[in-house]
Amino acid sequence: MSFAAPFPAPFGATPSGLPVERWTLRSASGVEAAVLTYGAVLHSLRVPGPERRPPAEVVLSLPDVKHYATHGAYLGAVVGRFANRIAAGAFTLGGTRHHIPGNDRGNSLHGGTDGFDRRLWRAEPCERPDGAASVRLSLDSPHGDQGFPGSLQVSVTYTLASDGSLTLDYHAVTDRPTPVNLTHHAYFNLSGNPDRGVLDHLLTVDAAAYLPIDETGLPLPGAPAPVAGSPFDFTRARRIGARIAEPDEQLSRAGGYDHCWVLDDRDRPSGDGELDLRRAARLEDPGSGRVLEVHTSEPGLQVYAGQQLDGGFGDLLGRRLGAHSGLCLETQHFPDSPNRPDYPSTVLRPDQALRSRTVLGFPHLTAVAR
């Protein structure tokens, strides 16, 4: 079956005056996605409800590039060169100390003060044998960019399949060793209405352990902590808001959930070439019946419940985006990995290529199709 090819449309300009494009992808299932060349932002993801109910916007979005350039919440963006935090914005690699601009309580967050979320990416449509709509966005990050060593060529490819699933394929190569940790920072709200928030959404996270944090959001020394018996136990579906206000030290340090879960390896399917995907999370909105499942090749999942959204800006319809308007499910490597030899390495070397995949699936649509 063939689908309409992705197509671009003008979407304003960057603060420096460079034109920004908005690429639209459509699927036979009724799902529609739109991607900006600014920040590789997922600007829209419209998903029907069960039984072919009308589609609704399930990611938080902003009305123009100016808002994306100034808001600071990374809405829908691809973040890097290193997602999450690096302690004190510094690490040693090959005997050399490297310094990244601090932008979060003395640490560097999501690549520093001028990360990939604020860059203009190049876009090109991708032809696929199955005819699925696909667009690749590419970016060149020079040696010394935000203090990181090595020139890095990075791309993310968005592909919308016939069943409505949206796949994000990351690829990167470098000319010298450098840490790389890429993730996607969409805020999901399956109800389609940010005013309702996500505290009544049901969340399942396929992880028996998580990384406790200090007062600055960095993982504490030592092994991951078991989730059993704690407010971090989402091994079975539970309301996000069920225990978020409990007097727990970890919840207090983050103002809620903003922690990395260590994904289980159990029941991890194989057969996808070099990339083995595991389910990371399932998100359900009982009101609309929409369901999101996240599968990934990454070892961790940062769950952020959007508590720092303060209503200071509005979405496409002018609705204010306040605390818990959306939930982030960020597939990634562990925070501060360049300073933690006990974590899986994030160092990319010239004789390697980074490949990573995350799939956003909507099983309520698949069930209808059957």
Side-chain angles (χ1 to χ4, degrees), residues 306-337:
Q307 54 266 22
Q308 295 182 29
L309 297 176
D310 60 5
F313 46 83
D315 70 358
L316 295 172
L317 299 178
R319 296 171 296 192
R320 310 311 292 177
L321 300 179
H324 310 303
S325 293
L327 176 77
C328 296
L329 299 169
E330 306 165 47
T331 57
Q332 58 186 257
H333 271 255
F334 303 150
D336 199 30
S337 291

Side-chain angles (χ1 to χ4, degrees), residues 28-69:
S29 64
V31 176
E32 180 178 295
V35 180
L36 303 181
T37 52
Y38 185 83
V41 164
L42 179 62
H43 187 241
S44 175
L45 184 58
R46 295 182 57 80
V47 179
E51 301 176 354
R52 304 190 183 279
R53 293 173 191 164
E57 183 62 72
V58 301
V59 294
L60 304 187
S61 302
L62 299 176
D64 53 44
V65 177
K66 178 181 178 180
H67 284 78
Y68 281 104

